[in-house]
Amino acid sequence: DSVTHGKVVRFDEATGYGIIRTIEGDEAHFHASALQAEFGDISPGTEVSFRLRRGPVAMFALEVRRDASEGNP
């Protein structure tokens, strides 16, 4: 899997699920368990990098990290 980039569209803290829009315009679902330990707060508009995997119904983002271009580790 190659690393791709996008922005968080939404994240529901109660369920732990969210959606990322890739720079190509596709949507990928993710769960809080996919966030890397150093991630910190997550909100719409947060730029992220991640690995994309096709699931049985939708695309899923794995190994989600805050994008280094945001100036964060």
Side-chain angles (χ1 to χ4, degrees), residues 7-47:
K7 287 187 180 182
V8 175
V9 176
R10 71 174 165 241
F11 180 68
D12 183 335
E13 288 187 36
T15 64
Y17 286 96
I19 296 176
I20 296 170
R21 181 162 291 122
T22 69
I23 57 174
E24 293 84 13
D26 300 319
E27 289 189 345
H29 298 257
F30 72 96
H31 186 263
S33 62
L35 301 175
Q36 299 303 295
E38 74 282 356
F39 200 93
D41 291 334
I42 185 169
S43 60
T46 302
E47 294 182 3

Side-chain angles (χ1 to χ4, degrees), residues 28-67:
H29 298 257
F30 72 96
H31 186 263
S33 62
L35 301 175
Q36 299 303 295
E38 74 282 356
F39 200 93
D41 291 334
I42 185 169
S43 60
T46 302
E47 294 182 3
V48 293
S49 61
F50 53 95
R51 295 193 180 278
L52 203 54
R53 171 113 358 117
R54 180 167 297 283
V57 178
M59 297 299 287
F60 288 90
L62 305 172
E63 300 175 27
V64 180
R65 299 177 187 276
R66 188 175 300 273
D67 201 322

